Coordinates of all heavy atoms in Angstrom, one line a residue:
L26 N 22.7 -26.0 2.3 CA 22.3 -24.8 1.6 C 21.1 -24.1 2.3 O 21.0 -22.9 2.4 CB 21.9 -25.1 0.1 CG 23.0 -25.4 -0.8 CD1 22.5 -25.9 -2.2 CD2 24.0 -24.3 -0.9
R27 N 20.1 -24.9 2.8 CA 19.0 -24.3 3.4 C 19.4 -23.6 4.7 O 18.9 -22.5 5.0 CB 17.9 -25.4 3.7 CG 17.3 -26.0 2.5 CD 16.2 -27.0 2.8 NE 16.7 -28.1 3.6 CZ 16.8 -29.3 3.1 NH1 16.4 -29.6 1.9 NH2 17.2 -30.3 3.9
L28 N 20.3 -24.3 5.5 CA 20.8 -23.7 6.7 C 21.5 -22.4 6.5 O 21.4 -21.4 7.2 CB 21.6 -24.7 7.5 CG 22.1 -24.2 8.9 CD1 21.0 -23.8 9.8 CD2 23.0 -25.2 9.5
C29 N 22.3 -22.4 5.4 CA 23.1 -21.2 5.1 C 22.1 -20.1 4.7 O 22.3 -18.9 5.1 CB 24.0 -21.5 3.9 SG 25.0 -20.1 3.4
A30 N 21.1 -20.4 3.9 CA 20.1 -19.4 3.5 C 19.5 -18.8 4.7 O 19.3 -17.6 4.8 CB 19.1 -20.0 2.5
W31 N 19.1 -19.7 5.6 CA 18.4 -19.2 6.9 C 19.4 -18.3 7.7 O 19.0 -17.2 8.2 CB 17.9 -20.3 7.7 CG 17.3 -19.8 9.0 CD1 17.9 -19.8 10.2 CD2 16.1 -19.0 9.1 NE1 17.1 -19.1 11.1 CE2 16.0 -18.6 10.5 CE3 15.1 -18.6 8.2 CZ2 14.9 -17.9 10.9 CZ3 14.1 -17.9 8.7 CH2 14.0 -17.5 10.0
Y32 N 20.6 -18.7 7.8 CA 21.6 -17.9 8.6 C 21.7 -16.5 8.0 O 21.7 -15.5 8.7 CB 22.9 -18.6 8.6 CG 24.0 -17.7 9.1 CD1 24.1 -17.3 10.4 CD2 25.0 -17.3 8.2 CE1 25.1 -16.5 10.9 CE2 26.1 -16.5 8.7 CZ 26.1 -16.1 10.0 OH 27.1 -15.3 10.4
L33 N 21.8 -16.5 6.7 CA 22.1 -15.2 6.0 C 20.8 -14.3 6.0 O 20.9 -13.1 6.1 CB 22.6 -15.4 4.6 CG 24.0 -16.0 4.5 CD1 24.3 -16.4 3.1 CD2 25.0 -15.1 5.1
Y34 N 19.6 -14.9 5.8 CA 18.4 -14.2 5.6 C 17.6 -14.0 6.9 O 17.0 -13.0 7.1 CB 17.5 -15.0 4.5 CG 16.2 -14.3 4.2 CD1 16.2 -13.3 3.2 CD2 15.1 -14.6 4.8 CE1 15.0 -12.6 2.9 CE2 13.9 -13.9 4.5 CZ 13.9 -13.0 3.5 OH 12.7 -12.3 3.2
G35 N 17.6 -15.1 7.7 CA 16.7 -15.1 8.8 C 17.3 -14.7 10.2 O 16.6 -14.2 11.1
E36 N 18.6 -15.0 10.4 CA 19.2 -14.7 11.7 C 19.6 -13.2 11.7 O 20.3 -12.7 10.8 CB 20.5 -15.5 11.9 CG 20.2 -17.0 12.1 CD 19.3 -17.3 13.3 OE1 19.6 -16.7 14.4 OE2 18.4 -18.1 13.2
K37 N 19.2 -12.5 12.8 CA 19.3 -11.1 12.9 C 20.0 -10.6 14.1 O 19.9 -11.3 15.2 CB 17.9 -10.4 12.8 CG 17.0 -10.8 11.6 CD 17.5 -10.3 10.4 CE 16.8 -10.8 9.2 NZ 15.7 -10.2 8.6
H38 N 20.6 -9.5 14.1 CA 21.1 -8.7 15.2 C 20.5 -7.4 15.2 O 20.7 -6.6 14.2 CB 22.6 -8.7 15.2 CG 23.2 -7.8 16.3 ND1 23.2 -8.3 17.6 CD2 23.8 -6.6 16.3 CE1 23.7 -7.3 18.3 NE2 24.1 -6.3 17.6
R39 N 19.6 -7.1 16.1 CA 18.9 -5.8 16.1 C 18.1 -5.6 14.8 O 18.0 -4.4 14.4 CB 19.8 -4.6 16.4 CG 20.5 -4.7 17.8 CD 21.3 -3.5 18.1 NE 21.8 -3.7 19.4 CZ 22.9 -3.1 19.9 NH1 23.6 -2.3 19.1 NH2 23.3 -3.3 21.1
G40 N 17.6 -6.6 14.3 CA 16.8 -6.5 13.1 C 17.6 -6.6 11.8 O 17.0 -6.7 10.7
Y41 N 18.9 -6.5 11.8 CA 19.7 -6.5 10.6 C 20.4 -7.9 10.5 O 20.6 -8.6 11.5 CB 20.7 -5.4 10.6 CG 20.1 -4.0 10.6 CD1 20.1 -3.3 11.8 CD2 19.5 -3.5 9.5 CE1 19.5 -2.0 11.8 CE2 18.9 -2.3 9.5 CZ 18.9 -1.5 10.7 OH 18.3 -0.3 10.7
A42 N 20.9 -8.2 9.3 CA 21.6 -9.5 9.0 C 22.7 -9.7 10.0 O 23.5 -8.8 10.2 CB 22.1 -9.5 7.6
L43 N 22.7 -10.8 10.6 CA 23.8 -11.2 11.6 C 25.2 -11.2 10.9 O 26.1 -10.8 11.5 CB 23.4 -12.5 12.2 CG 24.4 -13.0 13.3 CD1 24.4 -12.0 14.5 CD2 23.9 -14.4 13.8
N44 N 25.2 -11.8 9.7 CA 26.5 -11.9 9.0 C 27.0 -10.5 8.6 O 26.3 -9.8 7.9 CB 26.3 -12.8 7.8 CG 27.6 -13.0 7.1 OD1 28.0 -12.3 6.2 ND2 28.4 -14.1 7.4
P45 N 28.2 -10.2 8.9 CA 28.7 -8.8 8.6 C 28.9 -8.6 7.1 O 28.6 -7.4 6.6 CB 30.1 -8.7 9.3 CG 30.4 -10.1 9.7 CD 29.2 -10.9 9.8
V46 N 29.2 -9.6 6.3 CA 29.4 -9.4 4.9 C 28.0 -9.2 4.3 O 27.8 -8.3 3.4 CB 30.1 -10.6 4.2 CG1 30.1 -10.4 2.7 CG2 31.5 -10.7 4.8
A47 N 27.0 -10.0 4.7 CA 25.6 -9.8 4.2 C 25.1 -8.4 4.6 O 24.6 -7.7 3.7 CB 24.7 -10.9 4.8
N48 N 25.4 -8.0 5.8 CA 24.9 -6.7 6.3 C 25.5 -5.6 5.4 O 24.8 -4.7 5.0 CB 25.3 -6.5 7.7 CG 24.6 -5.4 8.4 OD1 23.4 -5.2 8.2 ND2 25.3 -4.6 9.1
F49 N 26.8 -5.7 5.1 CA 27.5 -4.7 4.3 C 26.8 -4.6 2.9 O 26.4 -3.5 2.5 CB 28.9 -5.1 4.1 CG 29.6 -4.2 3.1 CD1 30.1 -3.0 3.4 CD2 29.8 -4.7 1.8 CE1 30.7 -2.2 2.4 CE2 30.4 -3.9 0.8 CZ 30.9 -2.7 1.1
H50 N 26.6 -5.7 2.2 CA 26.0 -5.7 0.9 C 24.6 -5.2 0.9 O 24.2 -4.4 0.0 CB 26.2 -7.0 0.2 CG 27.6 -7.3 -0.2 ND1 28.2 -6.7 -1.3 CD2 28.5 -8.2 0.3 CE1 29.4 -7.2 -1.4 NE2 29.6 -8.1 -0.5
L51 N 23.8 -5.7 1.9 CA 22.4 -5.3 1.9 C 22.3 -3.8 2.3 O 21.4 -3.1 1.7 CB 21.7 -6.1 3.0 CG 21.6 -7.6 2.6 CD1 21.2 -8.4 3.8 CD2 20.7 -7.8 1.4
Q52 N 23.1 -3.3 3.1 CA 23.1 -1.8 3.4 C 23.4 -1.0 2.1 O 22.8 0.1 2.0 CB 24.1 -1.4 4.5 CG 23.7 -1.8 5.8 CD 24.8 -1.3 6.9 OE1 25.5 -0.4 6.6 NE2 24.8 -2.0 8.0
N53 N 24.2 -1.6 1.2 CA 24.5 -0.9 0.0 C 23.5 -1.1 -1.1 O 23.8 -0.7 -2.3 CB 25.9 -1.2 -0.4 CG 26.9 -0.6 0.5 OD1 26.9 0.6 0.7 ND2 27.8 -1.4 1.1
G54 N 22.4 -1.8 -0.9 CA 21.4 -2.0 -1.8 C 21.4 -3.2 -2.7 O 20.7 -3.3 -3.7
S55 N 22.1 -4.2 -2.3 CA 22.2 -5.4 -3.2 C 21.0 -6.3 -2.9 O 20.2 -6.1 -2.0 CB 23.5 -6.2 -2.9 OG 23.4 -6.8 -1.6
V56 N 20.9 -7.4 -3.8 CA 20.0 -8.4 -3.6 C 20.8 -9.7 -3.3 O 21.8 -10.0 -3.9 CB 19.2 -8.7 -4.9 CG1 18.3 -9.9 -4.8 CG2 18.4 -7.4 -5.3
M57 N 20.3 -10.4 -2.2 CA 20.9 -11.7 -1.9 C 20.6 -12.6 -3.1 O 19.4 -13.1 -3.1 CB 20.4 -12.2 -0.6 CG 21.2 -13.3 0.0 SD 20.7 -13.8 1.7 CE 21.1 -12.4 2.6
W58 N 21.5 -12.9 -4.0 CA 21.1 -13.5 -5.2 C 21.3 -15.0 -5.3 O 20.3 -15.7 -5.8 CB 22.0 -12.9 -6.3 CG 21.6 -13.2 -7.7 CD1 22.2 -14.0 -8.6 CD2 20.4 -12.7 -8.3 NE1 21.5 -14.1 -9.7 CE2 20.3 -13.3 -9.6 CE3 19.3 -11.9 -7.9 CZ2 19.3 -13.1 -10.5 CZ3 18.3 -11.7 -8.8 CH2 18.3 -12.2 -10.1
R59 N 22.4 -15.6 -4.9 CA 22.6 -17.0 -5.1 C 23.5 -17.5 -4.0 O 24.5 -16.9 -3.6 CB 23.1 -17.3 -6.5 CG 23.3 -18.7 -6.8 CD 23.7 -19.0 -8.3 NE 24.8 -18.2 -8.6 CZ 25.0 -17.7 -9.8 NH1 24.1 -17.8 -10.8 NH2 26.1 -17.0 -10.1
I60 N 23.3 -18.8 -3.6 CA 24.2 -19.5 -2.7 C 24.8 -20.6 -3.4 O 24.1 -21.4 -4.0 CB 23.4 -20.0 -1.4 CG1 22.8 -18.8 -0.7 CG2 24.3 -20.7 -0.5 CD1 21.9 -19.1 0.5
N61 N 26.1 -20.6 -3.4 CA 26.8 -21.6 -4.2 C 27.5 -22.7 -3.3 O 28.3 -22.3 -2.5 CB 27.9 -20.9 -5.0 CG 27.3 -19.9 -5.9 OD1 26.6 -20.2 -6.9 ND2 27.6 -18.6 -5.6
W62 N 27.1 -23.9 -3.5 CA 27.8 -25.0 -2.7 C 29.2 -25.2 -3.3 O 29.4 -25.3 -4.5 CB 27.0 -26.3 -2.9 CG 27.6 -27.5 -2.4 CD1 28.2 -28.5 -3.1 CD2 27.8 -27.8 -1.0 NE1 28.7 -29.4 -2.2 CE2 28.5 -29.1 -1.0 CE3 27.5 -27.2 0.2 CZ2 28.8 -29.7 0.2 CZ3 27.8 -27.8 1.4 CH2 28.5 -29.0 1.4
M63 N 30.2 -25.2 -2.4 CA 31.6 -25.4 -2.7 C 32.1 -24.3 -3.7 O 32.9 -24.5 -4.6 CB 31.9 -26.7 -3.3 CG 31.6 -27.8 -2.3 SD 32.4 -27.6 -0.7 CE 34.0 -28.1 -1.0
G64 N 31.5 -23.1 -3.5 CA 31.9 -21.9 -4.3 C 33.3 -21.4 -4.0 O 33.9 -20.7 -4.7
D65 N 33.7 -21.7 -2.7 CA 35.1 -21.2 -2.3 C 35.8 -22.4 -1.6 O 35.5 -22.7 -0.4 CB 34.9 -20.1 -1.3 CG 36.3 -19.5 -0.9 OD1 37.3 -20.1 -1.3 OD2 36.3 -18.5 -0.1
T66 N 36.6 -23.1 -2.4 CA 37.2 -24.3 -1.9 C 38.6 -24.0 -1.3 O 39.4 -24.9 -1.0 CB 37.3 -25.4 -2.9 OG1 38.0 -24.8 -4.1 CG2 35.9 -25.8 -3.4
S67 N 39.0 -22.7 -1.1 CA 40.2 -22.4 -0.5 C 40.2 -22.8 0.9 O 39.1 -23.0 1.5 CB 40.5 -20.9 -0.6 OG 39.6 -20.2 0.3
P68 N 41.4 -23.0 1.5 CA 41.4 -23.4 3.0 C 40.6 -22.4 3.8 O 39.9 -22.8 4.7 CB 42.9 -23.4 3.3 CG 43.6 -23.7 2.0 CD 42.7 -23.0 1.0
R69 N 40.8 -21.1 3.6 CA 40.0 -20.1 4.3 C 38.5 -20.3 4.1 O 37.7 -20.2 5.0 CB 40.5 -18.7 4.0 CG 39.8 -17.7 4.8 CD 40.4 -16.3 4.5 NE 39.7 -15.3 5.3 CZ 39.4 -14.1 5.0 NH1 39.7 -13.7 3.8 NH2 38.8 -13.3 5.8
G70 N 38.1 -20.5 2.8 CA 36.7 -20.6 2.5 C 36.1 -21.9 3.1 O 34.9 -21.8 3.6
I71 N 36.8 -22.9 3.2 CA 36.3 -24.2 3.8 C 36.2 -23.9 5.3 O 35.2 -24.3 5.9 CB 37.3 -25.4 3.5 CG1 37.3 -25.7 2.0 CG2 36.9 -26.6 4.4 CD1 36.0 -26.2 1.5
A72 N 37.2 -23.3 5.9 CA 37.2 -23.1 7.4 C 36.1 -22.1 7.8 O 35.4 -22.3 8.8 CB 38.5 -22.6 7.9
A73 N 35.9 -21.0 7.0 CA 35.0 -20.0 7.4 C 33.6 -20.2 7.1 O 32.7 -19.8 7.8 CB 35.5 -18.6 6.8
A74 N 33.3 -20.9 5.9 CA 32.0 -21.0 5.4 C 31.7 -22.4 4.8 O 30.7 -22.5 4.0 CB 31.7 -19.9 4.4
C75 N 32.4 -23.4 5.2 CA 32.2 -24.8 4.7 C 32.2 -24.8 3.2 O 31.6 -25.6 2.6 CB 30.9 -25.3 5.3 SG 30.9 -25.5 7.1
G76 N 32.9 -23.9 2.6 CA 33.1 -23.8 1.2 C 31.9 -23.1 0.4 O 32.0 -22.9 -0.8
M77 N 30.9 -22.6 1.2 CA 29.8 -21.9 0.5 C 30.2 -20.5 0.2 O 31.0 -19.9 0.9 CB 28.6 -22.0 1.4 CG 28.0 -23.3 1.5 SD 26.4 -23.3 2.3 CE 26.5 -24.8 3.2
M78 N 29.6 -20.0 -0.9 CA 29.8 -18.6 -1.3 C 28.5 -18.0 -1.7 O 27.7 -18.7 -2.3 CB 30.8 -18.6 -2.5 CG 31.1 -17.1 -2.9 SD 32.2 -17.1 -4.3 CE 33.7 -17.3 -3.4
V79 N 28.3 -16.8 -1.4 CA 27.1 -16.1 -1.7 C 27.4 -15.0 -2.7 O 28.4 -14.3 -2.6 CB 26.5 -15.5 -0.4 CG1 25.1 -14.8 -0.7 CG2 26.3 -16.5 0.7
N80 N 26.5 -14.9 -3.7 CA 26.6 -13.9 -4.7 C 25.5 -12.8 -4.3 O 24.4 -13.1 -4.0 CB 26.2 -14.3 -6.1 CG 27.3 -15.3 -6.6 OD1 26.9 -16.5 -6.8 ND2 28.5 -15.0 -6.7
Y81 N 26.0 -11.6 -4.2 CA 25.1 -10.4 -4.0 C 25.0 -9.7 -5.4 O 26.1 -9.4 -6.0 CB 25.6 -9.5 -2.9 CG 25.6 -10.2 -1.6 CD1 26.7 -10.9 -1.1 CD2 24.4 -10.2 -0.8 CE1 26.6 -11.6 0.1 CE2 24.3 -10.9 0.4 CZ 25.5 -11.5 0.8 OH 25.4 -12.2 2.0
R82 N 23.9 -9.4 -5.8 CA 23.7 -8.7 -7.1 C 23.2 -7.3 -6.9 O 22.3 -7.1 -6.1 CB 22.7 -9.5 -8.0 CG 22.7 -9.0 -9.4 CD 22.1 -10.1 -10.3 NE 22.1 -9.5 -11.7 CZ 21.4 -10.1 -12.6 NH1 20.8 -11.2 -12.5 NH2 21.5 -9.6 -13.9
Y83 N 23.8 -6.4 -7.6 CA 23.4 -5.0 -7.6 C 22.7 -4.6 -8.9 O 23.3 -4.6 -9.9 CB 24.7 -4.1 -7.4 CG 25.3 -4.2 -6.0 CD1 26.2 -5.2 -5.7 CD2 24.9 -3.3 -5.0 CE1 26.7 -5.3 -4.5 CE2 25.5 -3.4 -3.8 CZ 26.4 -4.4 -3.5 OH 26.9 -4.5 -2.2
F84 N 21.4 -4.3 -8.8 CA 20.7 -3.7 -9.9 C 20.7 -2.2 -9.6 O 20.1 -1.7 -8.7 CB 19.2 -4.2 -9.9 CG 19.1 -5.7 -10.1 CD1 19.0 -6.6 -9.1 CD2 19.1 -6.2 -11.4 CE1 18.9 -8.0 -9.3 CE2 19.0 -7.6 -11.7 CZ 18.9 -8.5 -10.6
L85 N 21.5 -1.5 -10.5 CA 21.8 -0.1 -10.2 C 20.5 0.7 -10.0 O 20.5 1.6 -9.2 CB 22.7 0.5 -11.3 CG 24.1 -0.2 -11.4 CD1 24.9 0.5 -12.5 CD2 24.8 -0.1 -10.0
E86 N 19.5 0.4 -10.8 CA 18.2 1.2 -10.7 C 17.5 1.0 -9.3 O 16.6 1.7 -9.0 CB 17.3 1.0 -11.9 CG 16.8 -0.4 -12.0 CD 17.7 -1.4 -12.7 OE1 18.9 -1.1 -13.0 OE2 17.3 -2.6 -12.8
D87 N 17.8 -0.1 -8.7 CA 17.1 -0.5 -7.4 C 18.0 -0.3 -6.2 O 17.5 -0.5 -5.1 CB 16.7 -1.9 -7.5 CG 15.7 -2.2 -8.6 OD1 14.9 -1.3 -8.9 OD2 15.7 -3.3 -9.2
T88 N 19.3 0.0 -6.3 CA 20.1 0.0 -5.1 C 19.6 1.0 -4.0 O 19.6 0.7 -2.9 CB 21.6 0.3 -5.4 OG1 21.7 1.5 -6.2 CG2 22.2 -0.9 -6.2
A89 N 19.2 2.2 -4.4 CA 18.8 3.2 -3.5 C 17.5 2.7 -2.7 O 17.5 2.8 -1.5 CB 18.5 4.5 -4.1
S90 N 16.6 2.2 -3.4 CA 15.3 1.7 -2.8 C 15.6 0.5 -1.9 O 15.0 0.3 -0.8 CB 14.2 1.5 -3.8 OG 14.5 0.5 -4.7
N91 N 16.4 -0.4 -2.4 CA 16.8 -1.6 -1.6 C 17.5 -1.2 -0.3 O 17.2 -1.8 0.7 CB 17.7 -2.6 -2.4 CG 16.9 -3.3 -3.5 OD1 15.7 -3.2 -3.7 ND2 17.7 -3.9 -4.4
S92 N 18.4 -0.3 -0.4 CA 19.1 0.1 0.7 C 18.2 0.8 1.7 O 18.2 0.5 2.9 CB 20.2 1.1 0.3 OG 20.9 1.6 1.5
A93 N 17.3 1.7 1.2 CA 16.4 2.4 2.1 C 15.4 1.4 2.8 O 15.1 1.5 4.0 CB 15.6 3.4 1.3
A94 N 15.0 0.4 2.1 CA 14.1 -0.7 2.6 C 14.8 -1.5 3.7 O 14.2 -1.7 4.8 CB 13.6 -1.6 1.6
Y95 N 16.1 -1.8 3.5 CA 16.8 -2.6 4.5 C 17.1 -1.7 5.7 O 16.9 -2.2 6.8 CB 18.1 -3.1 3.9 CG 19.0 -3.9 4.8 CD1 18.5 -5.1 5.3 CD2 20.2 -3.4 5.3 CE1 19.3 -5.9 6.2 CE2 20.9 -4.2 6.2 CZ 20.5 -5.4 6.6 OH 21.2 -6.1 7.5
L96 N 17.5 -0.5 5.5 CA 17.9 0.3 6.6 C 16.7 0.8 7.4 O 16.7 1.0 8.6 CB 18.7 1.5 6.2 CG 20.1 1.2 5.6 CD1 20.8 2.4 5.0 CD2 21.0 0.6 6.7
G97 N 15.6 1.1 6.7 CA 14.3 1.6 7.3 C 13.5 0.5 7.9 O 13.1 0.6 9.1
T98 N 13.1 -0.5 7.2 CA 12.2 -1.5 7.7 C 12.9 -2.9 7.9 O 12.2 -3.9 8.2 CB 11.0 -1.7 6.7 OG1 11.5 -2.2 5.4 CG2 10.3 -0.4 6.5
K99 N 14.2 -2.9 7.6 CA 15.0 -4.2 7.8 C 14.5 -5.3 6.9 O 14.6 -6.5 7.2 CB 15.0 -4.6 9.3 CG 15.5 -3.5 10.2 CD 15.3 -3.8 11.6 CE 16.0 -2.8 12.5 NZ 15.1 -1.8 12.9
Q100 N 14.0 -4.9 5.7 CA 13.5 -5.9 4.7 C 14.7 -6.3 3.8 O 15.4 -5.4 3.2 CB 12.4 -5.2 3.8 CG 12.0 -6.1 2.7 CD 11.0 -5.4 1.8 OE1 10.8 -4.2 1.9 NE2 10.3 -6.1 1.0
I101 N 15.0 -7.6 3.7 CA 16.0 -8.1 2.9 C 15.5 -8.5 1.5 O 14.5 -9.3 1.4 CB 16.7 -9.3 3.6 CG1 17.4 -8.9 4.8 CG2 17.7 -10.0 2.6 CD1 18.1 -10.0 5.6
K102 N 16.1 -8.0 0.5 CA 15.7 -8.4 -0.9 C 16.5 -9.6 -1.2 O 17.7 -9.6 -1.0 CB 16.1 -7.3 -1.9 CG 15.3 -6.0 -1.7 CD 13.9 -6.2 -2.2 CE 13.1 -4.9 -2.2 NZ 11.8 -5.0 -2.8
A103 N 15.8 -10.6 -1.7 CA 16.5 -11.9 -2.0 C 15.8 -12.5 -3.3 O 14.6 -12.3 -3.5 CB 16.4 -12.9 -0.8
S104 N 16.6 -13.3 -4.0 CA 16.1 -14.0 -5.2 C 15.2 -15.1 -4.8 O 15.1 -15.5 -3.6 CB 17.3 -14.5 -6.0 OG 17.9 -15.6 -5.3
E105 N 14.5 -15.6 -5.8 CA 13.6 -16.8 -5.6 C 14.4 -18.0 -5.1 O 13.9 -18.7 -4.3 CB 12.9 -17.1 -6.9 CG 11.8 -16.1 -7.2 CD 10.7 -16.1 -6.2 OE1 10.3 -17.1 -5.6 OE2 10.3 -15.0 -5.9
Q106 N 15.7 -18.2 -5.6 CA 16.5 -19.3 -5.1 C 16.7 -19.2 -3.6 O 16.5 -20.2 -2.9 CB 17.8 -19.3 -5.9 CG 18.6 -20.6 -5.5 CD 20.0 -20.4 -4.9 OE1 20.2 -19.3 -4.3 NE2 20.8 -21.4 -4.9
V107 N 17.1 -18.1 -3.1 CA 17.4 -17.9 -1.7 C 16.1 -18.0 -0.9 O 16.0 -18.7 0.1 CB 18.0 -16.5 -1.4 CG1 18.2 -16.3 0.1 CG2 19.4 -16.5 -2.1
L108 N 15.0 -17.4 -1.4 CA 13.7 -17.5 -0.6 C 13.2 -18.9 -0.6 O 12.6 -19.3 0.4 CB 12.7 -16.5 -1.3 CG 13.0 -15.0 -1.1 CD1 12.0 -14.2 -1.9 CD2 13.1 -14.6 0.3
S109 N 13.4 -19.7 -1.7 CA 13.0 -21.1 -1.7 C 13.8 -21.9 -0.6 O 13.2 -22.7 0.1 CB 13.2 -21.7 -3.1 OG 12.9 -23.0 -3.1
L110 N 15.1 -21.6 -0.5 CA 15.9 -22.3 0.4 C 15.4 -22.0 1.9 O 15.4 -22.8 2.7 CB 17.3 -22.0 0.2 CG 18.0 -22.7 -1.0 CD1 19.4 -22.0 -1.3 CD2 18.1 -24.2 -0.9
V111 N 15.1 -20.7 2.1 CA 14.7 -20.2 3.4 C 13.3 -20.9 3.7 O 13.2 -21.4 4.9 CB 14.5 -18.7 3.4 CG1 13.7 -18.2 4.7 CG2 15.9 -18.0 3.4
S112 N 12.4 -21.0 2.8 CA 11.1 -21.6 3.0 C 11.3 -23.1 3.3 O 10.7 -23.7 4.2 CB 10.3 -21.5 1.8 OG 9.1 -22.1 1.9
Q113 N 12.2 -23.8 2.6 CA 12.5 -25.2 2.9 C 13.0 -25.4 4.3 O 12.7 -26.4 5.0 CB 13.4 -25.8 1.8 CG 12.9 -25.9 0.4 CD 13.9 -26.2 -0.6 OE1 14.8 -27.1 -0.3 NE2 13.9 -25.6 -1.7
F114 N 13.9 -24.5 4.6 CA 14.5 -24.6 6.0 C 13.4 -24.5 7.0 O 13.3 -25.2 8.0 CB 15.6 -23.5 6.2 CG 16.0 -23.5 7.6 CD1 17.0 -24.4 8.1 CD2 15.5 -22.6 8.6 CE1 17.5 -24.4 9.4 CE2 15.9 -22.6 9.9 CZ 16.9 -23.5 10.3
Q115 N 12.5 -23.5 6.9 CA 11.5 -23.2 7.8 C 10.5 -24.4 7.9 O 10.0 -24.7 9.0 CB 10.7 -21.9 7.5 CG 11.5 -20.7 7.7 CD 10.8 -19.4 7.2 OE1 10.2 -19.4 6.1 NE2 10.9 -18.4 8.0
Q116 N 10.2 -25.0 6.8 CA 9.3 -26.2 6.8 C 9.9 -27.4 7.5 O 9.2 -28.2 8.1 CB 8.9 -26.6 5.4 CG 8.1 -25.5 4.7 CD 7.9 -25.8 3.2 OE1 8.4 -26.8 2.7 NE2 7.1 -24.9 2.6
N117 N 11.2 -27.6 7.4 CA 11.9 -28.8 7.9 C 12.6 -28.6 9.2 O 13.1 -29.5 9.8 CB 12.8 -29.3 6.9 CG 12.1 -29.7 5.6 OD1 11.2 -30.5 5.7 ND2 12.6 -29.2 4.5
S118 N 12.6 -27.4 9.7 CA 13.5 -27.1 10.9 C 12.7 -27.3 12.2 O 11.5 -27.1 12.3 CB 13.9 -25.6 10.9 OG 14.6 -25.3 12.1
K119 N 13.4 -27.7 13.2 CA 12.9 -27.8 14.5 C 13.3 -26.7 15.4 O 13.1 -26.7 16.6 CB 13.3 -29.2 15.1 CG 12.7 -30.3 14.3 CD 12.7 -31.6 15.1 CE 12.3 -32.8 14.4 NZ 11.5 -32.8 13.2
L120 N 13.9 -25.6 14.9 CA 14.4 -24.5 15.6 C 13.2 -23.6 16.0 O 12.2 -23.5 15.4 CB 15.4 -23.6 14.8 CG 16.7 -24.3 14.5 CD1 17.6 -23.4 13.7 CD2 17.4 -24.7 15.8

């Protein structure tokens, strides 16, 4: 979960999320809300993401400002759950 959180939140291409699905949702103003272990147990989900699934949440009153922040300053809005996993990864990683 920590590695997944880091990949989605921390790995970048030209400053934007490396993962194309994450990039799509973040450009549209979502919040990276939750990472679910074994959230997609379909053969495709296992092969593509080791069964992990990410929920992106759209708070309608914040989508315009979230989108502008992401596109302008490349700031990713994320929940405490995701930020906690990112922090744990950073503390324990040798990357």
